[in-house]
Coordinates of all heavy atoms in Angstrom, one line a residue:
Y9 N 159.2 149.5 84.2 CA 160.4 150.2 84.0 C 160.9 150.7 85.4 O 160.0 151.1 86.2 CB 160.3 151.4 83.1 CG 160.1 151.1 81.7 CD1 158.8 150.9 81.2 CD2 161.2 150.9 80.8 CE1 158.6 150.5 79.8 CE2 161.0 150.6 79.5 CZ 159.7 150.4 79.0 OH 159.5 150.0 77.7
K10 N 162.2 150.7 85.7 CA 162.8 151.4 86.8 C 163.1 152.8 86.4 O 164.2 153.1 86.0 CB 164.0 150.6 87.3 CG 164.5 151.1 88.6 CD 165.7 150.2 89.1 CE 166.3 150.7 90.4 NZ 167.4 149.9 90.9
R11 N 162.1 153.7 86.5 CA 162.3 155.0 85.9 C 163.2 155.9 86.7 O 163.2 155.9 88.0 CB 160.9 155.7 85.8 CG 160.0 154.9 84.8 CD 158.6 155.5 84.8 NE 157.6 154.6 84.3 CZ 157.3 154.5 83.0 NH1 157.9 155.2 82.1 NH2 156.3 153.7 82.6
L12 N 163.9 156.7 86.0 CA 164.8 157.7 86.7 C 163.9 158.9 87.1 O 162.9 159.2 86.5 CB 165.9 158.2 85.7 CG 166.9 157.2 85.3 CD1 167.6 157.6 84.0 CD2 167.9 157.0 86.4
P13 N 164.3 159.6 88.2 CA 163.5 160.7 88.8 C 163.6 162.0 88.0 O 164.1 163.0 88.4 CB 164.1 160.9 90.1 CG 165.6 160.5 89.9 CD 165.6 159.4 88.9
V14 N 163.1 162.0 86.7 CA 163.1 163.2 85.9 C 161.9 163.1 84.9 O 161.5 162.0 84.5 CB 164.4 163.3 85.1 CG1 164.6 162.2 84.2 CG2 164.5 164.7 84.4
S15 N 161.3 164.2 84.6 CA 160.2 164.3 83.7 C 160.5 165.4 82.7 O 160.6 166.5 83.1 CB 158.9 164.5 84.4 OG 157.8 164.6 83.5
F16 N 160.6 165.0 81.4 CA 161.0 166.0 80.4 C 159.7 166.7 79.8 O 158.7 166.0 79.6 CB 161.8 165.4 79.3 CG 163.1 164.8 79.8 CD1 163.4 163.5 79.8 CD2 164.1 165.7 80.3 CE1 164.6 163.0 80.3 CE2 165.3 165.2 80.8 CZ 165.5 163.9 80.8
Q17 N 159.8 168.0 79.6 CA 158.6 168.7 79.2 C 158.8 169.2 77.7 O 157.8 169.4 77.0 CB 158.4 169.9 80.1 CG 158.2 169.6 81.5 CD 157.0 168.6 81.7 OE1 155.9 168.9 81.2 NE2 157.2 167.5 82.3
R18 N 160.0 169.4 77.3 CA 160.2 169.8 75.9 C 161.6 169.5 75.4 O 162.5 169.2 76.3 CB 159.9 171.3 75.7 CG 160.9 172.2 76.4 CD 160.5 173.7 76.2 NE 161.5 174.6 76.9 CZ 162.6 175.1 76.2 NH1 162.8 174.8 75.0 NH2 163.4 175.9 76.9
G19 N 161.8 169.5 74.1 CA 163.1 169.2 73.6 C 163.4 170.0 72.3 O 162.5 170.5 71.7
E20 N 164.7 170.2 72.0 CA 165.1 170.9 70.8 C 166.5 170.4 70.5 O 167.4 170.6 71.2 CB 165.1 172.4 71.1 CG 165.5 173.2 69.8 CD 165.4 174.7 70.0 OE1 164.8 175.2 71.0 OE2 166.0 175.5 69.2
G21 N 166.6 169.8 69.3 CA 167.9 169.3 68.9 C 168.4 168.2 69.8 O 167.6 167.3 70.1
A22 N 169.6 168.4 70.3 CA 170.2 167.4 71.2 C 169.8 167.6 72.6 O 170.4 167.0 73.5 CB 171.7 167.4 71.0
W23 N 168.9 168.6 72.9 CA 168.7 169.0 74.3 C 167.2 168.7 74.8 O 166.3 168.8 74.0 CB 169.0 170.5 74.5 CG 170.4 170.8 74.2 CD1 170.9 171.2 73.0 CD2 171.5 170.8 75.1 NE1 172.3 171.4 73.1 CE2 172.7 171.1 74.4 CE3 171.6 170.4 76.4 CZ2 173.9 171.2 75.0 CZ3 172.9 170.5 77.0 CH2 174.0 170.9 76.3
L24 N 167.1 168.3 76.0 CA 165.8 168.2 76.7 C 165.8 169.1 77.9 O 166.8 169.3 78.6 CB 165.6 166.7 77.1 CG 165.3 165.7 75.9 CD1 165.4 164.3 76.4 CD2 163.9 166.0 75.4
W25 N 164.6 169.5 78.3 CA 164.4 170.3 79.5 C 163.3 169.6 80.4 O 162.3 169.2 79.9 CB 163.8 171.7 79.1 CG 164.9 172.7 78.6 CD1 165.5 173.6 79.3 CD2 165.4 172.7 77.2 NE1 166.4 174.3 78.5 CE2 166.3 173.8 77.2 CE3 165.1 172.0 76.1 CZ2 167.0 174.1 76.0 CZ3 165.8 172.4 74.9 CH2 166.7 173.4 74.9
D26 N 163.7 169.6 81.7 CA 162.7 168.9 82.6 C 161.7 169.9 83.1 O 161.7 171.1 82.8 CB 163.5 168.2 83.7 CG 164.2 169.1 84.7 OD1 163.9 170.4 84.7 OD2 165.0 168.7 85.5
D27 N 160.8 169.5 84.0 CA 159.8 170.4 84.5 C 160.2 171.4 85.5 O 159.5 172.3 85.9 CB 158.6 169.5 85.1 CG 159.1 168.5 86.0 OD1 160.3 168.5 86.4 OD2 158.3 167.6 86.4
N28 N 161.5 171.4 85.8 CA 162.1 172.5 86.6 C 163.0 173.4 85.8 O 163.6 174.3 86.3 CB 163.0 171.9 87.7 CG 162.2 171.1 88.7 OD1 161.1 171.6 89.2 ND2 162.6 169.9 89.1
G29 N 163.0 173.2 84.4 CA 163.7 174.1 83.5 C 165.2 173.7 83.4 O 165.9 174.4 82.7
K30 N 165.6 172.6 84.0 CA 167.0 172.1 83.8 C 167.2 171.5 82.5 O 166.4 170.8 82.0 CB 167.3 171.1 84.9 CG 168.8 170.6 84.9 CD 169.1 169.6 86.0 CE 170.5 169.0 85.9 NZ 170.8 168.1 87.0
R31 N 168.4 171.8 81.9 CA 168.7 171.3 80.5 C 169.6 170.1 80.5 O 170.5 170.0 81.4 CB 169.3 172.5 79.7 CG 169.5 172.2 78.2 CD 170.0 173.4 77.5 NE 171.4 173.6 77.7 CZ 172.3 174.2 76.8 NH1 171.7 174.7 75.7 NH2 173.5 174.3 77.1
Y32 N 169.3 169.2 79.7 CA 170.1 167.9 79.6 C 170.6 167.7 78.2 O 169.8 167.8 77.2 CB 169.2 166.7 80.0 CG 168.7 166.8 81.4 CD1 167.6 167.6 81.7 CD2 169.3 166.1 82.4 CE1 167.1 167.7 83.0 CE2 168.8 166.1 83.7 CZ 167.7 166.9 84.0 OH 167.2 167.0 85.3
L33 N 171.8 167.3 78.0 CA 172.4 166.9 76.7 C 172.0 165.4 76.5 O 172.4 164.5 77.3 CB 173.9 167.0 76.7 CG 174.6 166.6 75.4 CD1 174.1 167.4 74.2 CD2 176.1 166.9 75.5
D34 N 171.2 165.1 75.4 CA 170.7 163.8 75.2 C 171.6 163.0 74.3 O 171.6 163.1 73.1 CB 169.3 163.9 74.5 CG 168.6 162.6 74.4 OD1 169.2 161.6 74.8 OD2 167.5 162.5 73.9
A35 N 172.4 162.1 74.9 CA 173.4 161.3 74.2 C 172.8 159.9 74.0 O 173.5 158.9 73.8 CB 174.7 161.2 74.9
L36 N 171.5 159.8 74.2 CA 170.8 158.5 74.0 C 169.7 158.5 73.0 O 169.4 157.4 72.4 CB 170.2 158.1 75.4 CG 169.7 156.6 75.5 CD1 170.8 155.6 75.3 CD2 169.1 156.4 76.9
S37 N 169.2 159.7 72.7 CA 168.1 159.8 71.6 C 167.0 158.9 71.8 O 166.4 158.3 70.8 CB 168.8 159.6 70.2 OG 169.9 160.4 70.0
G38 N 166.5 158.7 73.0 CA 165.4 157.8 73.2 C 165.7 156.4 72.8 O 164.9 155.6 72.3
I39 N 167.0 156.0 73.0 CA 167.6 154.7 72.6 C 167.5 154.6 71.0 O 166.8 153.8 70.5 CB 166.9 153.5 73.2 CG1 166.8 153.7 74.8 CG2 167.8 152.2 73.0 CD1 166.3 152.5 75.5
A40 N 168.3 155.5 70.4 CA 168.5 155.5 69.0 C 167.2 155.8 68.2 O 167.2 155.6 67.0 CB 169.0 154.2 68.5
V41 N 166.2 156.4 68.8 CA 165.0 156.8 68.1 C 165.1 158.1 67.4 O 164.8 158.3 66.2 CB 163.8 156.7 69.0 CG1 162.5 157.3 68.4 CG2 163.5 155.2 69.5
C42 N 165.4 159.1 68.2 CA 165.4 160.5 67.6 C 166.7 160.9 67.0 O 167.4 161.7 67.4 CB 165.1 161.5 68.8 SG 163.4 161.2 69.6
G43 N 166.9 160.3 65.8 CA 168.1 160.5 65.1 C 168.3 162.0 64.6 O 169.4 162.5 64.4
L44 N 167.1 162.6 64.4 CA 167.2 164.1 64.0 C 167.1 165.0 65.2 O 167.0 166.2 65.0 CB 166.0 164.4 63.1 CG 165.8 163.5 61.8 CD1 164.7 164.1 60.9 CD2 167.1 163.4 61.0
G45 N 167.2 164.4 66.4 CA 167.1 165.3 67.6 C 165.6 165.5 67.9 O 164.7 164.9 67.2
H46 N 165.4 166.4 68.8 CA 164.0 166.7 69.3 C 163.4 167.9 68.5 O 164.1 168.8 68.3 CB 164.0 166.9 70.8 CG 164.5 165.7 71.6 ND1 163.8 164.6 71.8 CD2 165.7 165.5 72.1 CE1 164.5 163.7 72.5 NE2 165.7 164.3 72.7
A47 N 162.1 167.7 68.2 CA 161.3 168.8 67.6 C 161.9 169.3 66.3 O 162.0 170.5 66.1 CB 161.1 170.0 68.6
H48 N 162.4 168.4 65.5 CA 163.0 168.8 64.2 C 161.9 169.4 63.4 O 160.8 168.9 63.2 CB 163.6 167.6 63.5 CG 164.4 168.0 62.3 ND1 163.9 168.4 61.1 CD2 165.8 168.1 62.2 CE1 164.9 168.7 60.3 NE2 166.1 168.5 60.9
P49 N 162.2 170.6 62.8 CA 161.1 171.3 62.0 C 160.5 170.5 60.9 O 159.3 170.6 60.6 CB 161.9 172.5 61.4 CG 163.0 172.7 62.3 CD 163.4 171.3 62.8
A50 N 161.3 169.6 60.2 CA 160.7 168.8 59.1 C 159.7 167.8 59.6 O 158.7 167.6 58.9 CB 161.8 168.2 58.3
V51 N 160.0 167.2 60.7 CA 159.1 166.2 61.3 C 157.8 166.9 61.8 O 156.7 166.4 61.6 CB 159.8 165.4 62.4 CG1 158.8 164.4 63.0 CG2 161.0 164.6 61.8
K52 N 158.1 168.0 62.5 CA 156.9 168.8 63.0 C 156.0 169.2 61.9 O 154.8 169.0 62.0 CB 157.4 170.0 63.8 CG 156.3 170.9 64.3 CD 156.9 172.2 64.9 CE 155.9 173.2 65.3 NZ 156.4 174.4 65.9
E53 N 156.6 169.7 60.8 CA 155.7 170.2 59.7 C 155.0 169.0 59.1 O 153.8 169.1 58.8 CB 156.6 170.8 58.6 CG 155.9 171.6 57.6 CD 155.3 170.7 56.4 OE1 156.0 169.7 56.2 OE2 154.3 171.0 55.9
A54 N 155.6 167.9 58.9 CA 155.0 166.7 58.3 C 153.8 166.2 59.2 O 152.7 165.9 58.7 CB 156.0 165.6 58.1
L55 N 154.1 166.2 60.5 CA 153.0 165.7 61.4 C 151.8 166.6 61.4 O 150.7 166.2 61.4 CB 153.6 165.5 62.8 CG 154.5 164.3 63.0 CD1 155.2 164.3 64.3 CD2 153.8 163.0 62.7
C56 N 152.1 167.9 61.5 CA 151.0 168.9 61.6 C 150.2 168.9 60.3 O 149.0 168.9 60.3 CB 151.6 170.3 61.8 SG 152.3 170.6 63.4
R57 N 150.9 168.8 59.2 CA 150.2 168.8 57.9 C 149.3 167.6 57.7 O 148.2 167.6 57.4 CB 151.2 168.9 56.7 CG 150.6 168.7 55.4 CD 151.6 168.9 54.2 NE 153.0 168.4 54.6 CZ 153.3 167.1 54.5 NH1 152.4 166.2 54.1 NH2 154.6 166.8 54.8
Q58 N 150.0 166.4 58.0 CA 149.3 165.1 57.8 C 148.1 164.9 58.8 O 147.1 164.4 58.4 CB 150.2 164.0 57.9 CG 149.7 162.6 57.5 CD 149.2 162.7 56.0 OE1 149.8 163.3 55.2 NE2 148.0 162.2 55.8
S59 N 148.3 165.4 60.1 CA 147.2 165.2 61.0 C 146.0 166.1 60.7 O 144.9 165.8 61.1 CB 147.7 165.6 62.4 OG 148.1 166.9 62.5
G60 N 146.2 167.1 59.9 CA 145.1 167.9 59.4 C 144.4 167.4 58.2 O 143.4 167.9 57.8
E61 N 145.0 166.4 57.6 CA 144.4 165.8 56.4 C 143.9 164.4 56.6 O 142.7 164.1 56.4 CB 145.5 165.7 55.3 CG 146.0 167.1 54.8 CD 147.1 167.1 53.8 OE1 147.5 165.9 53.4 OE2 147.5 168.1 53.3
L62 N 144.7 163.5 57.1 CA 144.3 162.1 57.3 C 145.3 161.4 58.2 O 146.5 161.3 57.9 CB 144.2 161.4 56.0 CG 143.7 160.0 56.0 CD1 142.2 159.9 56.3 CD2 143.9 159.3 54.6
I63 N 144.9 160.9 59.4 CA 145.8 160.2 60.3 C 145.8 158.7 60.0 O 146.8 158.0 60.0 CB 145.4 160.5 61.7 CG1 145.6 161.9 62.1 CG2 146.1 159.5 62.7 CD1 145.2 162.3 63.5
H64 N 144.6 158.1 59.8 CA 144.5 156.7 59.7 C 143.5 156.2 58.7 O 142.4 156.8 58.7 CB 144.2 156.1 61.1 CG 144.0 154.6 61.1 ND1 145.1 153.7 61.1 CD2 142.9 153.8 61.0 CE1 144.7 152.5 61.1 NE2 143.4 152.5 61.0
T65 N 143.9 155.2 57.9 CA 142.9 154.4 57.2 C 143.3 152.9 57.4 O 144.5 152.7 57.6 CB 142.7 154.7 55.7 OG1 144.0 154.5 55.1 CG2 142.3 156.1 55.5
S66 N 142.4 152.0 57.2 CA 142.8 150.6 57.3 C 143.7 150.2 56.2 O 143.6 150.7 55.1 CB 141.5 149.8 57.4 OG 141.9 148.4 57.3
N67 N 144.5 149.1 56.5 CA 145.3 148.5 55.4 C 144.4 147.7 54.4 O 144.9 147.1 53.5 CB 146.3 147.6 56.0 CG 147.6 148.4 56.4 OD1 148.2 149.0 55.6 ND2 147.9 148.4 57.7
L68 N 143.1 147.8 54.6 CA 142.1 147.2 53.7 C 142.1 148.0 52.4 O 141.6 147.6 51.3 CB 140.7 147.2 54.2 CG 140.5 146.2 55.4 CD1 139.1 146.4 56.0 CD2 140.6 144.7 54.9
Y69 N 142.7 149.3 52.5 CA 142.7 150.2 51.3 C 144.1 150.6 51.0 O 145.1 150.4 51.8 CB 141.9 151.5 51.7 CG 140.6 151.2 52.3 CD1 140.4 151.4 53.7 CD2 139.5 150.6 51.6 CE1 139.2 151.1 54.3 CE2 138.3 150.4 52.2 CZ 138.1 150.6 53.5 OH 136.9 150.3 54.1
N70 N 144.3 151.1 49.8 CA 145.6 151.6 49.4 C 146.0 152.8 50.2 O 145.1 153.7 50.4 CB 145.6 152.0 47.9 CG 145.4 150.8 47.0 OD1 145.8 149.7 47.3 ND2 144.8 151.0 45.8
I71 N 147.2 152.9 50.7 CA 147.7 154.0 51.4 C 148.9 154.6 50.7 O 150.0 154.1 50.6 CB 148.1 153.6 52.9 CG1 146.9 153.0 53.6 CG2 148.7 154.8 53.6 CD1 147.2 152.5 55.0
T72 N 148.6 155.8 50.0 CA 149.6 156.3 49.1 C 150.9 156.6 49.8 O 152.0 156.3 49.3 CB 149.0 157.6 48.5 OG1 147.8 157.4 47.8 CG2 150.0 158.3 47.5
L73 N 150.9 157.2 51.0 CA 152.2 157.5 51.7 C 152.9 156.2 52.1 O 154.2 156.3 52.1 CB 151.9 158.4 52.9 CG 151.4 159.8 52.7 CD1 150.9 160.5 53.9 CD2 152.6 160.6 52.1
Q74 N 152.2 155.2 52.4 CA 152.9 153.9 52.7 C 153.6 153.4 51.4 O 154.7 152.9 51.5 CB 151.8 152.9 53.1 CG 152.4 151.6 53.6 CD 151.3 150.6 54.1 OE1 151.1 149.6 53.5 NE2 150.6 150.9 55.2
E75 N 153.0 153.5 50.3 CA 153.6 153.1 49.0 C 154.9 154.0 48.8 O 155.9 153.5 48.3 CB 152.6 153.2 47.9 CG 151.5 152.2 48.0 CD 150.4 152.4 47.0 OE1 150.5 153.3 46.2 OE2 149.4 151.6 47.1
Q76 N 154.7 155.3 49.0 CA 155.9 156.2 48.8 C 157.0 155.8 49.7 O 158.2 155.8 49.3 CB 155.5 157.6 49.0 CG 154.5 158.1 47.9 CD 154.0 159.5 48.2 OE1 154.4 160.2 49.2 NE2 153.1 160.0 47.4
L77 N 156.7 155.5 51.0 CA 157.7 155.1 52.0 C 158.4 153.8 51.6 O 159.6 153.7 51.6 CB 157.1 155.0 53.4 CG 158.1 154.6 54.5 CD1 159.3 155.5 54.6 CD2 157.4 154.5 55.8
S78 N 157.6 152.9 51.1 CA 158.2 151.6 50.7 C 159.1 151.8 49.6 O 160.2 151.2 49.5 CB 157.0 150.6 50.3 OG 157.6 149.4 49.9
E79 N 158.7 152.6 48.6 CA 159.6 152.8 47.4 C 160.9 153.5 47.9 O 162.0 153.2 47.4 CB 158.9 153.6 46.4 CG 157.8 152.8 45.7 CD 156.8 153.7 44.9 OE1 157.1 154.9 44.8 OE2 155.9 153.1 44.3
K80 N 160.8 154.4 48.8 CA 162.0 155.1 49.3 C 163.0 154.1 50.0 O 164.2 154.1 49.8 CB 161.7 156.2 50.3 CG 161.2 157.5 49.7 CD 162.4 158.4 49.5 CE 162.0 159.8 49.2 NZ 163.2 160.7 49.0
L81 N 162.4 153.2 50.8 CA 163.2 152.2 51.5 C 163.8 151.2 50.6 O 165.0 150.8 50.8 CB 162.4 151.5 52.6 CG 162.0 152.4 53.8 CD1 161.0 151.7 54.7 CD2 163.2 152.8 54.6
M82 N 163.1 150.8 49.6 CA 163.6 149.9 48.6 C 164.8 150.5 47.9 O 165.9 149.9 47.6 CB 162.6 149.5 47.5 CG 161.4 148.8 48.1 SD 161.7 147.4 49.2 CE 161.1 148.1 50.7
A83 N 164.7 151.8 47.5 CA 165.8 152.5 46.9 C 167.1 152.6 47.8 O 168.2 152.5 47.3 CB 165.4 153.9 46.4
L84 N 166.8 152.8 49.1 CA 168.0 152.9 50.0 C 168.6 151.5 50.3 O 169.8 151.4 50.5 CB 167.5 153.4 51.3 CG 167.3 154.9 51.5 CD1 166.6 155.3 52.8 CD2 168.6 155.7 51.4
S85 N 167.8 150.5 50.2 CA 168.3 149.2 50.8 C 168.6 148.1 49.7 O 169.3 147.2 50.0 CB 167.2 148.6 51.7 OG 166.0 148.3 51.0
G86 N 167.9 148.2 48.5 CA 168.1 147.2 47.5 C 167.1 146.0 47.8 O 167.2 145.0 47.1
M87 N 166.2 146.2 48.7 CA 165.2 145.1 49.0 C 164.1 145.3 48.0 O 164.1 146.2 47.2 CB 164.8 145.2 50.5 CG 165.9 145.2 51.5 SD 166.8 143.6 51.5 CE 165.8 142.6 52.5

Side-chain angles (χ1 to χ4, degrees):
Y9 291 90
K10 188 176 180 181
R11 299 177 197 271
L12 292 163
V14 64
S15 177
F16 297 114
Q17 302 302 307
R18 68 182 179 93
E20 182 178 342
W23 298 92
L24 286 166
W25 283 261
D26 69 13
D27 46 11
N28 294 313
K30 180 178 176 180
R31 191 174 76 151
Y32 300 79
L33 179 59
D34 187 358
L36 191 58
S37 304
I39 313 184
V41 168
C42 298
L44 305 188
H46 301 282
H48 192 284
V51 178
K52 176 184 174 182
E53 191 279 330
L55 289 173
C56 290
R57 171 175 38 80
Q58 191 58 43
S59 64
E61 295 177 358
L62 184 66
I63 291 177
H64 177 81
T65 60
S66 170
N67 277 298
L68 292 172
Y69 312 107
N70 294 331
I71 299 175
T72 302
L73 288 170
Q74 188 180 112
E75 294 171 358
Q76 292 175 3
L77 177 58
S78 179
E79 289 168 3
K80 278 272 189 181
L81 289 172
M82 298 311 112
L84 280 173
S85 67
M87 305 297 276

